[in-house]
Each structure stands twice: as structure tokens, then as C-alpha cells.
Amino acid sequence: LQDVLGLDRIGLHDNFFEQGGNSLLLVRAHARLSELIGGDLQVVDLFSHPTVALLAAHAGRQVATVSVVSAARQSDERMDKVEAGQSRLQKLRQRRQQG
């Protein structure tokens, strides 16, 4: 953010807009941050979280949310595999009993 604002230093709690930022500079900051950290950071996130501290906390929540969702999906996929395996096993047992 320092580069985009042309400042030597910006503090964790310094508001981007109060330090001279505007919507055009915010788009530049978003592009720069996207290059550096990647992820799903949206331009609106920078409007909603105008300090480094707020943005970092928000990004941390996003990472945590993505991790939880990812773990839940993996768990669901494992359960689907277990259920499919149990279904196949039950069919095999039924076949053995019948024949």
C-alpha cells in the first residue's frame, strides 16, 4: 500500500483513504495485493477493510473459512466413498446368500 500511496510508511491502523487513497488507487492496490498474496481478495474487501490490520484479519478469516469448507468437502467425499463401498459390500453379501 505504501507504494500505491507514494508514502514511505503506512501503519497497521492507518486508513487507506485518510492517507490519500481513492477508488482508482484502491484498484491499483488490489492488483498489487493480488500479485503478492493471490487468493480470493475482492476490491470490495479493500473498501470494507481500509487498514492493513483489518484487511489482514479479514484475509485470515477467509483462509480459515476456505480451510473449513475444504475439510468438509473432503469429509463428504470420504463419506460418499465409504457409503458406496458399504453398498457394494451389502450387494455382494446378498448375492452370496442367494447363490
Side-chain angles (χ1 to χ4, degrees), residues 1-2 5 7-21 46 49-55:
L1 295 178
Q2 293 170 189
L5 292 171
L7 300 173
D8 292 332
R9 184 178 181 284
I10 186 167
L12 289 176
H13 303 286
D14 290 341
N15 186 298
F16 179 81
F17 299 104
E18 291 173 2
Q19 299 299 314
L46 295 167
H49 306 88
T51 70
V52 172
L54 291 173
L55 190 57

Side-chain angles (χ1 to χ4, degrees), residues 58-70:
H58 173 71
R61 283 190 300 272
Q62 280 188 317
V63 168
T65 300
V66 168
S67 296
V68 168
V69 169
S70 177

Side-chain angles (χ1 to χ4, degrees), residues 21-91:
N22 58 40
S23 57
L24 203 62
L25 292 175
L26 192 76
V27 172
R28 288 184 189 167
H30 175 261
R32 182 76 174 119
L33 287 169
S34 294
E35 287 175 11
L36 292 173
I37 62 174
D40 294 326
L41 187 65
Q42 304 295 317
V43 172
V44 70
D45 294 330
L46 295 167
F47 275 108
S48 303
H49 306 88
T51 70
V52 172
L54 291 173
L55 190 57
H58 173 71
R61 283 190 300 272
Q62 280 188 317
V63 168
T65 300
V66 168
S67 296
V68 168
V69 169
S70 177
R73 284 184 184 150
Q74 289 174 357
S75 178
D76 286 347
E77 290 170 2
R78 285 189 208 115
M79 285 304 295
D80 288 345
K81 289 177 182 178
V82 167
E83 289 171 357
Q86 288 174 338
S87 177
R88 283 191 296 258
L89 184 58
Q90 186 177 20
K91 288 176 184 177

